[in-house]
Amino acid sequence: MAEPAANAHQGDDTTRRDFIFIAAGAASAVGVAATVWPFIDQMNPAADTRALSTTEVDLSAVVLGQQIKVMWQGKPVFVRHRTADEIGRAQRDDFATLKDPQSDAERLVQEDGAAGRPEWIVLQASCTHLGCVPTFVEGSSFGGWFCPCHGSDYDTSGRIRRGPAPANLPPAPYVYLNETSIRIG
Amino acid sequence: MSGLSTYEPKSGLTRWLDKRLPIIRLAHDSFVAYPTPRNLNYFWTFGAMLSLCLVVQIVTGIVLAMHYTPHVDHAFASVQRIDRDVPFGWLIQNIHSVGASMFFLAVYIHMFRGLYYGSYKAPREVLWILGCIIYLLMVVTGFLGYTLPWGQMSFWGATVITNILGAVPFVGESIQVWIRGGGSIDQPTLSRFFSLHYLLPFVIAGVVALHVWALHEAGQNNPAGVDVKSKADTVPFTPYATIKDLFAVILFVILFATFVFFMPNALGHADNYIPANPLQTPPEIVPEWYLLPFYAILRAFDFNIGPIDSKLAGVIGMFASIAVLFVLPWIDTSRVRSMRYRPIARQFFLIFVVACLILGWCGGQNPGLILAKPADFSATLTWVSGGEVRSEQFTAPSEGEYEEFAQAQRDRLAEQGATMTSITRENARTATITGVFGGTQSTETVTGATPDAMEEAITHAKEEVGSGAAFFSVERRSPYTFTVTTLSQIATFYYFFFFLVLLPLLGLREKPGRVPDTIAKPVLTEQGAA
């Protein structure tokens, strides 16, 4: 019914309406996106959560052969004071058949790239399979951590040796602040 | 709501209202005069139970939210307080937690009913998909709700499930952090899970309204799977369906009450009575019973598929097992709805139900548990007693030549008359080689029912020989083992095989039985014969 009128006005009028239509559509699409984004982004870690991103650890309290679990960004981290025997096993196994080959020295490297000290190993305490916390088991098959959930076995350097986990326990980023303390993160 | 309305307002007030908001007319047409197929069996009463469950969960949930504290330090204690101190809190909390299980029990029977009688086929595809959406929302709501009591299973279940999302390539880790609101499950996670757990039931209620709308538009399916053709095929919803639903609901409520009053914790996990501890993992993390089949599918993929690693494959498998339901109306090629008239498909369907139950069982077991094996694990120890032990250190010219060089050292000692040799590598190039010369060689074979038992037997055997031997060579033999994982792999295979291969093929090849022309015919014949 409106066709004859539309035909009569074909030209500038229609083009202008089309332009306004598309421009308004584009502007509202941008507007919707700009409005939705804050509602999505608010779920990301808040500033105070991110501020808890470093943890300082006093090493003097950890005696030889002992390990402590500290919380870093809400996640547990192992700080282990390794015995000479554990260090020996870890270094010897650099050449064993490894699922995720990495040498012990590489795993001790500090965040700034400086070499670590073999007696202190700092590892994120989440099994790389499904995130359970492994337990250090004296006399376990590889002398290190064992995950009770699905039976992954890690050695004294936290490398995966047996079980379903795909990768080594990731080292936590740390630096020595002085002789007896480190900062994680 | 198809067809003409038979509602006639009786009083002045209802006539007045009917002109302005015909809500009584809508209710009358939907739940009183609504024609239902006259051959519906008791499997068609689960919709009523599910509506009841949704109402019960919302009502008890709103009350619980008045007493619950969504804070990591107080959540566990506040649930305990509800159970112990709040007047009738024990009752309301038990109804809510048992209610979740009852909701899933009813929804599974409802879904299997739909599968058996072909309720997903045209013209009910949208009805079926809406149902799948409701189920998916129920799963999410159930998972979020299970986190709220902040027990060990709550915490670690949430950790494992959010870790699963981390398996998604490229964006997995960002999604994981986004959902948790931090690096790990913590206060931000608990707060948002509480908020969403409160919200989603109302979303479910909205989708249920669409589900009922779609149902009333397409009309109910029925055990014969044939369309309603005349008035003789139907009876009015009230009183026929209403009374039948009411009776079934009463039986359901009896079961519900049995759990609430006599065994409220039977369907839960004891570890959830331990407050959440991020430093201590429970020995075995399992979801609630209604998610066990999917957990089994997740763990069935313990192998890499090409570039997809096992973890991601498990996640894909788990999501695919639900996604396949959404496309089911187009996968099943059979034109016959009800499996009552599909003699072959019916048998495969029964196996499918068994496979689902097996998956549920597997999900709750330790995946490494050995169910059957042809022989024990065994190991042969070889050692030399007596004889002279000689050790020497050697250094290979370079790291690359180490293997070759070590073998040369072995050969050299063997030529000198060594009975056995052993090499301990110290670093990239140096190692110590030990050889035993002379003495008598002995062997012993030990066995064990599990790898751990065998290792124990090996240690024991070594201790018995003691210092009589310089070193041992151990050859381990593992028999083929049929584990829980193997069983869940078979069941997972069948799950997908049923949907992706059997249903499309059977629809084309199977010769269906004779489908009755109308609903009324066989019903009336039976009645006549009786």
Side-chain angles (χ1 to χ4, degrees), chain B residues 87-111:
Chain B
F88 286 103
W90 60 271
L91 177 66
I92 295 162
Q93 203 271 329
N94 284 345
I95 291 176
H96 196 72
S97 65
V98 170
S101 286
M102 289 294 132
F103 209 154
F104 277 96
L105 176 69
V107 87
Y108 282 134
I109 297 174
H110 191 67
M111 288 164 82

Side-chain angles (χ1 to χ4, degrees), chain A residues 37 39-46 49 52 69-77 88 91-93 95-96 125-135 141 146-150 162 164 166, chain B residues 155-156 159-160 163-164 174 177-186 188 192 196 278-285 295 298-299 309-311 366-367 399 424-429 451-452 455:
Chain A
W37 177 245
F39 288 89
I40 294 174
D41 192 43
Q42 52 82 23
M43 278 178 68
N44 275 316
T49 311
L52 294 171
K69 271 187 244 179
V70 294
M71 294 301 275
W72 169 63
Q73 296 186 350
K75 290 176 288 194
V77 167
Q91 291 177 348
R92 203 163 55 232
D93 285 356
F95 302 97
S126 316
C127 179
T128 51
H129 183 224
L130 286 173
C132 301
V133 178
T135 340
S141 314
F146 176 77
C147 179
C149 293
H150 303 100
R162 195 168 67 185
Chain B
F155 182 89
W156 288 100
T159 301
V160 168
N163 270 338
I164 282 172
S174 318
V177 170
W178 180 71
I179 289 197
R180 288 173 173 174
S184 58
I185 300 286
D186 211 332
R192 66 189 55 187
L196 293 173
L279 294 176
Q280 172 89 51
T281 311
E284 176 80 332
I285 300 172
Y295 196 51
L298 173 77
R299 296 196 296 190
D309 74 354
S310 53
K311 196 166 149 185
N366 180 346
E399 197 180 333
T424 312
R425 191 166 175 177
E426 271 132 34
N427 60 42
R429 285 169 56 203
D452 286 343
E455 291 301 330

Side-chain angles (χ1 to χ4, degrees), chain B residues 1 5 7 9 13-32:
Chain B
M1 276 163 274
S5 177
Y7 172 65
L13 177 67
T14 48
R15 262 195 300 276
W16 180 87
L17 183 65
D18 196 48
K19 287 256 188 254
R20 287 154 182 86
L21 178 73
I23 191 167
I24 305 179
R25 179 180 297 276
L26 178 71
H28 181 270
D29 293 348
S30 309
F31 303 110
V32 180

Side-chain angles (χ1 to χ4, degrees), chain B residues 330-361:
Chain B
W330 296 277
I331 293 179
D332 185 356
T333 52
S334 173
R335 287 161 70 188
V336 177
R337 287 200 193 98
S338 174
M339 292 226 187
R340 197 180 260 187
Y341 308 107
R342 299 183 63 189
I344 304 172
R346 185 168 60 208
Q347 290 170 35
F348 283 116
F349 176 80
L350 289 177
I351 302 174
F352 172 75
V353 175
V354 173
C356 291
L357 294 174
I358 287 176
L359 282 172
W361 180 82

